[in-house]
Amino acid sequence: MKQFISVKDVADINSLVKKALDFKAAPFAHKTLGANKRIGLLFLNPSLRTRLSTQVASQNLGMEPIVFNVDKEGWALEFMEGAIMNGTTVEHIKDAAPILGNYFDILCIRTFPSLQDKSVDYSEHIIHQFIKYAGIPVVSLESATLHPLQSLTDIITIQESISQNAHLKNKKPKIVLTWAPHIKPIPQCVANSFSEWVNAWGEANFVITHPEGYALAEAYTKGATITHNQDEALKDADFVYVKNWSSYEDYGKVVCTDANWMLTNEKLAVSNNAKVMHCLPVRRNVELSDEILDGRNSLVTKEAANRVWAAQAVLSEILMATNK
Ligand code: CP
């Protein structure tokens, strides 16, 4: 693996999941793979899980992680080609990224979308410029449209849960991605990415449910059943992935705040005793009810814990490719 910015960088999802679960069983099995290597973790936006799990994963592989909160501690970066930099930006990505490429062996970036301009966000121009100018492997810690480390974690968590629950074995699981209410515009990244990975994995009956106006880009959802009827979608579900996202069509807008879309135990009664997932952070009793988050069907803590093994599997693949 030369980079990790989407599922397209993965040759075989199941073998990457196996690798992650092997690391979960033996975290230090390859503790010298990254010896004398340095990994830069650049954050243009906040994070708890991604930041810490990637640091732990890199240290388990013997790498030295260095975290740089670009948004708070760095010079304001310019990404526009030919920009006349007489405004607020201080340093062009063309100047900054090659230096990072010299300091580090792997560069990881978190960069959220503006939610102002769909074509700019969906061109992924920020992470692509880091790739273009840094000259070293780049790993997405969530970009404008995708969150692949989260989605890999989600597939790991689903597979792990299937292996631990007799009633889920020997059947194609029904996985439902449901929109949830939120008080502010949230990127489509997690929902796009989850859809892309579940479709690429190809081992589930995949249903997406959301209110009108929240259709995701077809590039990610093609192959899934899409419905505006949440109750119908939840019938016989084995896994329910809860997430808010802002409108893709009316880009970045909140076009519905209907609190009835929040998942409750009453709604889940029609499911197949579904396990409930969320990437976190979650706004309790807005996106997802206390009764579900604190209930026995919630996978959210296991899911967040699995972020380490997803990151470790990806970093080990990159190290093996670059150590050749
Ligand atoms: N799920 C996730 O990416 O969490 P953080 O934003 O805290 O990293």
Side-chain angles (χ1 to χ4, degrees), residues 43 46-51 110 112 141-142 147 150 190 279-281 307:
F43 287 87
S47 164
L48 185 152
R49 281 145 291 270
T50 308
R51 164 192 308 253
R110 167 162 283 200
F112 286 171
L141 301 176
E142 186 170 350
H147 195 354
Q150 179 65 53
V190 170
C279 63
L280 304 181
R307 292 292 307 270

Side-chain angles (χ1 to χ4, degrees), residues 42 44 70 77 79 93 96-98 100 107 109-111 124-136 138:
L42 268 62
L44 283 76
V70 182
L77 291 172
F79 292 92
I93 187 68
L100 301 171
L107 187 60
I109 320 278
R110 167 162 283 200
T111 171
E124 289 283 9
H125 78 128
I126 292 183
I127 201 157
H128 282 146
Q129 288 188 75
F130 276 106
I131 291 168
K132 181 174 176 184
Y133 295 117
I136 55 173
V138 168

Side-chain angles (χ1 to χ4, degrees), residues 24-302:
K24 184 168 184 169
F28 305 110
H30 295 284
K31 66 183 181 187
T32 59
L33 185 64
N36 305 319
K37 305 263 185 189
R38 212 172 285 124
I39 180 167
L41 309 177
L42 268 62
F43 287 87
L44 283 76
N45 308 96
S47 164
L48 185 152
R49 281 145 291 270
T50 308
R51 164 192 308 253
L52 298 174
S53 61
T54 312
Q55 282 185 77
V56 172
S58 59
Q59 286 176 329
N60 286 351
L61 293 167
M63 271 187 287
E64 181 191 358
I66 296 180
V67 176
F68 182 22
N69 298 310
V70 182
D71 55 338
K72 297 181 185 70
E73 298 153 5
W75 299 115
L77 291 172
E78 175 63 59
F79 292 92
M80 197 203 300
E81 183 68 32
I84 298 167
M85 291 172 55
N86 58 2
T88 54
T89 55
V90 179
E91 179 158 30
H92 203 284
I93 187 68
K94 280 183 174 182
D95 301 314
I99 297 163
L100 301 171
N102 274 279
Y103 293 163
F104 301 120
D105 299 285
I106 299 175
L107 187 60
C108 305
I109 320 278
R110 167 162 283 200
T111 171
F112 286 171
S114 66
L115 293 180
Q116 302 296 315
D117 185 327
K118 178 158 60 175
S119 63
V120 170
D121 288 345
Y122 274 70
S123 73
E124 289 283 9
H125 78 128
I126 292 183
I127 201 157
H128 282 146
Q129 288 188 75
F130 276 106
I131 291 168
K132 181 174 176 184
Y133 295 117
I136 55 173
V138 168
V139 173
S140 168
L141 301 176
E142 186 170 350
S143 65
T145 64
L146 296 170
H147 195 354
L149 280 175
Q150 179 65 53
S151 308
L152 170 58
T153 303
D154 298 333
I155 301 288
I156 292 165
T157 307
I158 289 168
Q159 289 215 28
E160 188 179 40
S161 187
I162 289 170
S163 71
Q164 292 168 351
N165 287 278
H167 78 284
L168 294 174
K169 283 183 189 158
N170 305 318
K171 67 170 286 213
K172 203 170 190 182
K174 179 176 178 182
I175 300 177
V176 177
L177 168 63
T178 181
W179 183 90
H182 204 287
I183 59 158
K184 55 184 253 194
I186 299 293
Q188 295 102 35
C189 313
V190 170
N192 283 343
S193 200
F194 184 73
S195 302
E196 184 177 47
W197 278 74
V198 174
N199 277 329
W201 184 44
E203 297 188 15
N205 291 322
F206 184 36
V207 178
I208 302 172
T209 184
H210 55 74
E212 284 186 26
Y214 282 103
L216 295 163
E218 200 189 353
Y220 309 114
T221 61
K222 199 170 181 182
T225 302
I226 300 171
T227 173
H228 299 316
N229 187 334
Q230 189 190 42
D231 294 333
E232 188 65 33
L234 293 173
K235 271 185 199 155
D236 303 321
D238 297 304
F239 294 90
V240 181
Y241 199 96
V242 180
K243 186 72 185 88
N244 171 267
W245 60 89
S246 58
S247 178
Y248 173 71
E249 292 165 29
D250 191 1
Y251 191 63
K253 300 288 188 306
V254 174
V255 295
C256 164
T257 53
D258 185 353
N260 289 325
W261 276 79
M262 186 180 76
L263 199 63
T264 59
N265 278 336
E266 191 182 347
K267 281 179 182 254
L268 268 189
V270 298
S271 75
N272 185 26
N273 196 24
K275 305 286 182 192
V276 179
M277 303 174 71
H278 188 288
C279 63
L280 304 181
V282 65
R283 287 187 181 248
R284 280 178 173 250
N285 303 311
V286 176
E287 281 182 275
L288 201 42
S289 57
D290 277 343
E291 63 178 7
I292 297 225
L293 283 164
D294 299 333
R296 60 190 177 85
N297 283 20
S298 170
L299 289 180
V300 300
T301 305
K302 280 185 181 168

